[in-house]
Amino acid sequence: NLWNCSEELYCLLPLQHHYQNKLKLAIIGQSLFGQEVYSNLRKQGHKVVGVFTVPDKDGKADPLAVAAEKEGTPVFKFPRWRVKGNPIPEVVDAYKAVGAELNVMPFCSQFIPMNVIDHPKHGSIIYHPSILPLHRGASAINWTLIHGDKKAGFTVFWADDGLDTGPILLQRECDVEPNDTVDTLYNRFLFPEGIKAMVESVQLIADGKAPRIPQPEEGASYEGIQKKSNAKVNLAQPAEAIHNWIRGHDKVPGAWTVIDGQSVTLYGSSMLGGSVPEGQPLDIEGASQAARVTKNGLILYGTDGKALLVKNLQFEDGKMIPASKYFSSGESASVELTDDEKTMAEEIRNIWKGILSNVPAIEDTTDFFKSGAASMDVVRLVEEVKQKCAGVQLQNEDVYMATTFQDFIQMFVRKLRGEDQEEELVVDYATKDVNNMTVKMPYQCFINGKFEDSENGKTYDSISPSDGSVICKVSYASVGDVDRAVAAAKEAYENGPWGKMNPRDRGSLLYRLADLMEEHQEELATIESIDSGAVYTLALKTHVGMSIQTFRYFAGWCDKIQGKTIPINQARPNRNLTFTKKEPLGVCAIVIPWNYPLMMLAWKSAACLAAGNTLVLKPAQVTPLTALKFAELSVKAGIPKGVINILPGSGGMVGQRLSEHPDIRKLGFTGSTPIGKQIMKSCAVSNLKKVSLELGGKSPLLIFSDCDMDKAVRMGMSSVYFNKGENCIAAGRLFVEESIHDEFIHRVVEEIKKMKIGDPLDRSTDHGPQNHKAHLDKLLEYCEIGVKEGATLVYGGKRVDRPGFFMEPTVFTDVEDHMFIAKEESFGPVMVVSKFKNGDVDGVLQRANDTEYGLASGVFTRDINKAMYVSERLEAGTVFVNTYNKTDVASPFGGFKQSGFGKDLGEDALMEYLKTKAVTVEY
């Protein structure tokens, strides 16, 4: 059987791995990169016969040495290999004695003699962080950015007696994002992919398949090590060149300029898109015009008039501050430490002492960096303090901001007390005077409690469907933004106050959020209307109104999430107790559609948050604005930073990364069935994350001759035309009993003629524009197909002759079961009507269920027995009887078959965001 076949295949896999060619390796180098290469080569079955690395510094071994010594691999820590250019014989002899067949040099700062390079059977391979022959020499990553290269990458090459000139074995490249720094480029690509490439290169050599491609001299360049002395910024050049220089030197050695007579180092540069915020002018030596200190940071201008933003400044004494605080006068008042905090401070003093082992005593005035600490020591300090003091949110940047021990302790205590969380939210609004008000719309990514431009600085236009005009530009999130948002959500869940909060307090915050949404309901409804085309009155009542109700409903659930006690067989003579706990999943991703932008956000995120999770949400690319306004209100409600993150952008980039991300434990999606399938596949392949899917529908509505005709006409029209037909549970096909068919159609058409099509902000409008032009074009094509296949177009089917994306409400009759419009969802104002024979209940049920979808359905009849008979046999997650679109926050919502699985709303939705843990106690 299949299981046995799988087991046999599984047993063969280790044998195949065992018989691959393997080598004896000498690892020559250092750093975390060297450590990872070493570990991965050993996992692949290669034998590391010796590790040659640098001596311990201040009593600390290099990470490569630590890993090798732990595994029992011979480790050699030679201070040098040569003296006055000549190899040291005893060092070379010690190397030769290990018997390596290949030297692997992942990162090596020492000069290695050629009689060592050439000694092994296969020679030596080296990793270099540039696309050779470009940027030979040191500081290659820096020069990639300084020169504004559009591509970065690395080379694994065969060592020779030149300087990075040996034959190429393997190369990889990636795009350079506009705001990449040395750190982001290294962490995103050069480090992880470089490790894989080194391992791949060794296996190619072992298999005899490694190429030796001579380096071309055309395009070759060599740059030396960048030092602080030659890192001064030339401000008399275009903004992008200034930006490239700053980011190319961030963090080491640091680009600097002169302000008020002293050297100031600039960190965290990004190109500025959109309007420049107001600020205080600042004269800087050599600048083409005065800089500006703003709430976002320091604005610098290039000679081309374009601007860039610098986040942090560091002064000559090592003190670093946010650039926005340059003109802030005086220091913040010192905090008086409690006895417990004094004890904690002494424990941190011991951590400093362990890192700064060369310093006799850690005084209050001891400066971390002036005492010899480097960037790796910053990481160690942060991680050791976080390990000692669980829950404190400390970042590497905080060390640079508080370099003396006294300042560090003051900063630490403020964080421990939560006093640093009161920083005012900075929002750059796009404003619009509309609907007798000025609406203020955030347009940037919302990550870790802050609005900020996307990492790559890209934006896109949000278009009003009413007239096709641009509402505003919106940040276009990148993969890097997704990773930062997920990291913020993970930190908030694992170490922030949200994960430790009393459930009742969590509920209070969600109630407060609902109250704020209610206070801003007119503004939210207006934004929803201009961004999605929803009629304002519907947006106010349903889009926004039901969103508020949803948050209040789930806020009430926060302190009512309970497990069970379970009687089990007792293992005598002991007694046992088994109980279950409902626990949050962790970081959840939510991807929502464009038809109900705010309501879909509320349906999923309210349950997610009530369960105690944190989230990263991607609104539909065409309707991001109410989600970003919601993010602003969440801060005002007191939701801790990192709990909610909103990323506008494309599904192909942001949505795909969310489905693949290993730190996300659940993804909730509403959208099309094909995309749902792709998401489910990605979630399974990545880390088997939990998924709930609310997908397409072709909901049948059965209207029997014994119905209340007035109600059937009114509700039948609502089932199709509600929210312009952009409604996941819309009746995609109406089956009308033959004896009343013609009357029903006549009355529907007469009612359509009374409908007012127009400006969605006009209170008398019944029917607004379709959400976006591509969707309108799809609907027109849908109608053309219906006509070509022989269905009768009774009314509509055309675009309304006015600006915007308006479509006439449409009616098709004589629709046969095989037709395209009978099977496929329109997701628009298209009524698709088929007759069924009088009294043929089972026949029409068979036709209604002959679809791969099963989201919703409906039946109109005065016969309660018939209603119950039909409702039991309709294959759909929701059945409406003598009504339609009657959803409620307490009633579960979700489909069957290819309409997805999992529920929104009601207690069932809460269970989608919880996991069950069973605990058995013997007593």
Side-chain angles (χ1 to χ4, degrees), residues 313-362:
L313 305 175
Q314 188 174 35
F315 299 99
E316 292 175 351
D317 62 0
K319 179 76 172 179
M320 184 182 284
I321 64 166
S324 59
K325 306 292 185 185
Y326 183 83
F327 287 116
S328 298
S329 58
E331 298 290 330
S332 57
S334 296
V335 296
E336 189 71 27
L337 273 58
T338 65
D339 290 341
D340 287 344
E341 288 166 347
K342 288 177 182 177
T343 302
M344 193 73 74
E346 290 308 308
E347 291 178 355
I348 294 174
R349 193 186 299 272
N350 290 333
I351 294 173
W352 276 55
K353 179 61 180 173
I355 297 171
L356 305 175
S357 54
N358 56 314
V359 177
I362 303 298

Side-chain angles (χ1 to χ4, degrees), residues 707-708 711 715 858-863 867 880-884:
C707 69
D708 178 336
K711 190 173 187 181
M715 300 303 295
V859 54
F860 279 83
T861 176
R862 286 191 173 99
D863 185 339
F880 298 108
V881 179
N882 293 327
T883 186
Y884 210 88

Side-chain angles (χ1 to χ4, degrees), residues 40 137 217 380 398 407 504 552 651 660 703 750 801 843:
N40 280 273
E217 282 306 309
R380 178 180 167 186
D398 296 321
D407 289 344
R504 197 162 294 169
R552 287 194 173 131
E660 295 171 344
I703 302 177
E750 290 305 307
D801 186 19

Side-chain angles (χ1 to χ4, degrees), residues 781-803:
E781 182 183 5
Y782 185 91
C783 292
E784 289 174 5
I785 293 172
V787 171
K788 287 179 182 177
E789 288 192 331
T792 301
L793 178 62
V794 176
Y795 193 90
K798 299 189 295 294
R799 182 173 184 171
V800 178
D801 186 19
R802 58 171 293 158

Side-chain angles (χ1 to χ4, degrees), residues 423-427 445-452 488-489 631-632 634-635 639-646:
E423 186 177 343
E424 183 181 355
L425 178 67
V426 176
V427 188
C445 300
F446 182 72
I447 300 174
N448 204 24
K450 295 181 180 180
F451 286 103
E452 52 189 58
E632 178 192 355
S634 75
V635 176
I639 305 292
K641 67 179 183 179
V643 173
I644 295 172
N645 303 272
I646 310 287

